[in-house]
Amino acid sequence: MRDDDPRLPTSPGFWRSPLRGTWFTSVLGLVLLVGITVLFVTGLLSYAAYNPNLAPVNDQTPDKGILGFYLFSWPTNPSWLYRLTQGLHVTLGIALIPVLLAKLWSVVPKLFTLPPARSLAHALERISLLLLVGGGLFEFTTGVLNVQLDYLFPGSFYPLHFYGAWVFFAAFLAHAALKTPAALRAVRQRRLDEAQLESPRPTAPTVSRRGALWFVSGASLLLLVTTAGQSIGGAFRRTALLAPHGGADPGSGPNGFQINKTAAYAGIDTRETGADAWRLVVTGRDGRTVRLTRPELLRLPLHSAALPIACVEGWSTADQWWRGVRLRDLAALVGYDGDPPDVLVESLQLHGAFRRAALRADQVADPRSLLALQVNGEDLSPDHGYPARVIVPAAPGVLNTKWVARMTFGDL
């Protein structure tokens, strides 16, 4: 068969949809230009929120090198900051899936164009296109699997998604620099076909290009409505049909709000959390150490704070009323009477990347940062971290360590 045989995908005559064209592709591309830029920025913010430069236990990408150039100390104000940025990241990413798929469908004939490289510049463009398409599919696929708690990919989600994002965005920037001027011209001049995407022998249309865009928009809106409720909360949570933590709150009562990992999943032995066995070990300046039972913690000055929990998967709770001992007061017990230092928090949890987590001094110093013993007026349930858990404003959920066993204050 010849390359121009209409039965081959390398032939322009093989692709007969009347919807393909530079205008249709350009509209989708400009939407992705804005959307993917927002995704990349919010993804970088999510990474910064983990404070990876603080301590090795927080750093899931130790070989990042210059890719961590922008990192900064994540603030505690406003308390809903991570809830907003990560909710936007996940919800927007899911809502853009129909746009991404439509964009790939609209340009698929170009992937089969022969010869594969007409010049060195053209070869570099095709390579960047492969990185763009492959990187985009990889990032969106791993992101969706992580949101659904389906860890089907090899290795840890954190380095895969982080390094993949940089490869994808580098290719995306190169492609945007080359194609954005033409896309803007195509949107202004609707019949312009600079990219030569229109079929030379199209079939009879059954829907207009504008109608196809409305279809893609409707699909994105549907995904938005069935996902966004997991981070908006309230009555909208019932609409989050596609989110693993989006439905009605688990159980009822003061502890009836979303749980990411249960005590059973974390391997928590009730014999270790009982009143006779559990002690909080707090270590500080010059090795000074105190061991506190739960009743002894309850006799210390207790404070309350209304704070949400927000997770990397995009789900979050509404503000819950937490009550417990301020972290800075625990630091004072072991010799830090002035400005408190960083702290390493260790859990009874037997496995998992964040059974140990570090918090910055500003997080420890915030008066809303607590070793929580109660929530909404009752003792914590086992699944919410009984006998004690950390709660810190604006911190990712995994840094709000549950089933706390040891806290070590000092420079990390």
Side-chain angles (χ1 to χ4, degrees):
M1 294 184 182
R2 304 189 315 274
D3 290 343
D4 60 351
D5 190 318
R7 290 172 295 178
L8 291 175
T10 53
S11 169
F14 179 86
W15 309 97
R16 302 190 61 193
S17 172
L19 296 179
R20 288 191 178 92
T22 304
W23 179 82
F24 182 73
T25 298
S26 297
V27 172
L28 297 171
L30 292 173
V31 172
L32 289 174
L33 176 63
V34 176
I36 287 176
T37 301
V38 173
L39 286 182
F40 186 68
V41 171
T42 52
L44 293 183
L45 291 176
S46 177
Y47 181 62
Y50 281 74
N51 289 324
N53 280 347
L54 175 60
V57 296
N58 287 25
D59 193 356
Q60 301 300 302
T61 54
D63 300 322
K64 58 186 176 297
I66 62 171
L67 298 182
F69 70 93
Y70 74 96
L71 292 174
F72 58 96
S73 299
W74 189 251
T76 57
N77 282 306
S79 62
W80 41 261
L81 179 61
Y82 190 73
R83 184 183 186 192
L84 172 65
T85 59
Q86 192 61 13
L88 177 61
H89 180 76
V90 171
T91 303
L92 179 60
I94 292 176
L96 284 177
I97 289 174
V99 183
L100 176 69
L101 295 178
K103 176 68 161 60
L104 294 178
W105 172 86
S106 73
V107 299
V108 70
K110 303 296 288 184
L111 300 179
F112 292 90
T113 300
L114 294 177
R118 296 188 298 270
S119 65
L120 178 60
H122 186 243
L124 292 175
E125 181 184 344
R126 296 298 292 273
I127 292 172
S128 71
L129 192 61
L130 288 176
L131 292 175
L132 178 69
V133 173
L137 291 175
F138 178 82
E139 285 299 288
F140 277 81
T141 299
T142 54
V144 169
L145 288 174
N146 184 66
V147 168
Q148 295 300 323
L149 309 179
D150 292 327
Y151 304 113
L152 304 179
F153 38 81
S156 170
F157 167 76
Y158 297 97
L160 289 174
H161 205 65
F162 176 77
Y163 294 123
W166 279 103
V167 172
F168 168 58
F169 198 69
F172 177 76
L173 284 180
H175 186 75
L178 290 170
K179 300 299 184 182
T180 299
L184 293 171
R185 284 196 302 272
V187 170
R188 290 195 298 264
Q189 306 172 42
R190 291 196 50 178
R191 294 305 302 167
L192 190 67
D193 190 29
E194 289 188 16
Q196 298 179 339
L197 292 170
E198 292 186 1
S199 173
R201 53 191 197 95
T203 57
T206 56
V207 64
S208 68
R209 288 171 180 165
R210 188 178 295 276
L213 286 177
W214 277 112
F215 178 79
V216 174
S217 301
S220 290
L221 180 61
L222 179 63
L223 289 177
L224 178 68
V225 169
T226 52
T227 303
Q230 70 167 348
S231 55
I232 296 174
F236 291 100
R237 191 175 298 279
R238 297 183 182 276
T239 68
L241 303 177
L242 298 182
H245 295 280
D249 292 348
S252 59
N255 280 275
F257 54 95
Q258 281 68 29
I259 298 166
N260 199 24
K261 292 180 175 61
T262 64
Y265 176 89
I268 303 303
D269 189 334
T270 55
R271 290 172 297 184
E272 294 183 273
T273 60
D276 294 335
W278 184 82
R279 299 291 186 275
L280 174 69
V281 180
V282 185
T283 302
R285 178 169 282 150
D286 301 325
R288 187 183 307 181
T289 299
V290 297
R291 290 174 173 81
L292 299 165
T293 65
R294 199 167 188 278
E296 287 171 334
L297 284 168
L298 287 168
R299 287 195 291 271
L300 294 175
L302 300 181
H303 301 270
S304 297
L307 298 171
I309 298 174
C311 200
V312 68
E313 291 96 1
W315 67 269
S316 60
T317 71
D319 284 354
Q320 310 296 321
W321 275 99
W322 307 92
R323 188 162 177 81
V325 182
R326 285 175 172 164
L327 298 187
R328 66 187 191 186
D329 290 345
L330 290 172
L333 290 178
V334 288
Y336 293 99
D337 296 319
D339 293 335
D342 307 328
V343 64
L344 175 67
V345 184
E346 299 177 73
S347 173
L348 292 172
Q349 183 175 337
L350 297 178
H351 52 81
F354 286 95
R355 63 186 183 86
R356 302 166 72 227
L359 298 172
R360 290 190 182 276
D362 64 307
Q363 294 173 310
V364 176
D366 193 295
R368 297 165 297 174
S369 296
L370 304 175
L371 180 72
L373 306 170
Q374 300 170 335
V375 63
N376 299 322
E378 286 194 6
D379 288 345
L380 297 168
S381 68
D383 287 340
H384 279 303
Y386 181 89
R389 69 168 296 161
V390 166
I391 187 74
V392 174
V398 290
L399 298 186
N400 292 318
T401 308
K402 297 194 285 188
W403 313 293
V404 175
R406 177 183 292 271
M407 304 180 76
T408 304
F409 291 92
D411 295 332
L412 302 179

